[in-house]
Amino acid sequence: MQANEFDGNAAFAGGGFMPSQATQTAPDRPSYSSKNSDARCLTPVTVKQLKDLSKVGESGISIDGVDVNNIVLVGIISKIDNAVSDCTFRVDDGTGWVECTKWIHEHADSVEVDVISVGMYVRVYGQFKSIQSRRSIHTFSIRPITDFNEIAHHFLECIYVHLYNTKLRPRMTNATDGMTAQPQVANSNSGNHIMGFSHQTNSTNQIRGISSMVLQYLRRPACLASEMGVSSDIVARELNVSVDKVRKTLDFLASEGLVYTTTDDHYKFTDA
């Protein structure tokens, strides 16, 4: 199936801004080039930023000198090819298009791909991979967009994090002797979006970085329909994040009232 790709060049001209994550390193080592577990955090991107990459490694990508692993992309679906074991679809955000692949491992995956269609705006979570010169996004989760403010907000997030990493972070690094401030780009469930940054511990940054991924996973139809909720082990496996980090994140989200426990180590989204 093929849809007309919308012309976002006029609306988002020069929109190839790349997000990234701040890191904590030794003072005598450039923080912007070091590899760090913060690369596991979720980073908003545009297709242009992905297309401009000169090299894509197995463990992740580097943009604006910062290592990035998990990414989020917003755009319109212009093509879908369904197979028994996977769903391949093309996402166009106005700066270009990229191919995405969602593997079908269980019924919940089938439910997720069944709701998408050509011409629909979606938010895609995954990792950017290059296999035999073929670049694509290995998709963890796909969420249809119903509030179109999310589209403009996503591009603002990309611009914000790009400017932070290229302008503010180097100066913050010098001012704090190697400790950089993490840009906080949050996407609330109520639609009230907050952007800011603060000095935090590395552990807290990692928890906040994957909290959005965990919340979006718990909001999937299959998770909402389950009376028992979802165990932390399943969430960790589906998001490709360590169980320890997922459990810490779930504890944090529970303390904020965003999720709650049903049985031992099973969690549900609060509004479910």
Side-chain angles (χ1 to χ4, degrees):
M1 291 179 285
Q2 187 80 29
N4 293 330
E5 298 176 358
F6 72 99
D7 182 10
N9 292 329
F12 302 113
F17 294 103
M18 174 66 193
S20 21
Q21 301 297 331
T23 59
Q24 177 181 355
T25 59
D28 58 344
R29 183 185 300 174
S31 62
Y32 48 82
S33 61
S34 64
K35 292 185 178 180
N36 191 279
S37 58
D38 278 345
R40 304 293 298 181
C41 296
L42 187 66
T43 302
V45 300
T46 66
V47 174
K48 184 179 187 301
Q49 293 171 296
L50 300 178
K51 294 291 187 181
D52 286 347
L53 294 175
S54 58
K55 182 179 180 181
V56 180
E58 291 295 327
S59 59
I61 58 180
S62 178
I63 306 179
D64 292 334
V66 180
D67 293 329
V68 175
N69 194 309
N70 298 322
I71 62 175
V72 56
L73 176 72
V74 169
I76 189 172
I77 296 179
S78 59
K79 183 179 181 182
I80 299 179
D81 291 316
N82 287 304
V84 175
S85 60
D86 67 87
C87 173
T88 301
F89 55 99
R90 181 181 297 179
V91 174
D92 188 332
D93 71 349
T95 70
W97 62 266
V98 64
E99 192 172 83
C100 308
T101 301
K102 172 68 176 178
W103 294 98
I104 311 299
H105 296 297
E106 54 188 46
H107 178 67
D109 297 323
S110 298
V111 172
E112 191 166 315
V113 299
D114 285 345
V115 301
I116 65 174
S117 60
V118 172
M120 175 184 289
Y121 282 91
V122 293
R123 183 181 291 270
V124 178
Y125 300 87
Q127 292 180 337
F128 193 55
K129 300 291 185 179
S130 178
I131 302 177
Q132 296 181 347
S133 300
R134 180 185 177 186
R135 295 185 174 188
S136 64
I137 295 179
H138 176 74
T139 306
F140 303 147
S141 179
I142 321 161
R143 184 175 65 79
I145 288 179
T146 56
D147 181 357
F148 292 100
N149 288 321
E150 288 189 40
I151 301 171
H153 180 263
H154 174 77
F155 278 88
L156 290 174
E157 285 183 332
C158 295
I159 295 170
Y160 169 77
V161 180
H162 167 75
L163 292 177
Y164 178 89
N165 284 300
T166 57
K167 304 294 184 181
L168 290 178
R169 190 166 58 84
R171 287 183 288 180
M172 295 297 292
T173 301
N174 294 332
T176 56
D177 295 327
M179 174 72 79
T180 61
Q182 175 87 353
Q184 299 300 308
V185 183
N187 195 359
S188 70
N189 296 316
S190 62
N192 295 322
H193 306 296
I194 302 171
M195 291 194 294
F197 63 91
S198 60
H199 293 284
Q200 300 176 334
T201 64
N202 212 28
S203 176
T204 302
N205 285 337
Q206 292 175 13
I207 291 175
R208 293 185 181 276
I210 65 174
S211 62
S212 178
M213 293 176 63
V214 172
L215 284 175
Q216 294 299 338
Y217 180 82
L218 293 179
R219 294 179 67 189
R220 292 169 61 174
C223 298
L224 295 176
S226 173
E227 293 184 0
M228 291 187 61
V230 186
S231 70
S232 59
D233 290 337
I234 293 178
V235 175
R237 185 187 68 210
E238 290 296 313
L239 299 183
N240 196 27
V241 180
S242 71
V243 175
D244 181 62
K245 288 182 181 178
V246 167
R247 286 175 177 167
K248 289 180 179 178
T249 300
L250 286 168
D251 287 340
F252 168 77
L253 294 174
S255 68
E256 296 292 317
L258 298 175
V259 302
Y260 65 96
T261 57
T262 56
T263 60
D264 186 30
D265 200 38
H266 281 67
Y267 295 81
K268 288 200 69 173
F269 181 64
T270 299
D271 290 343

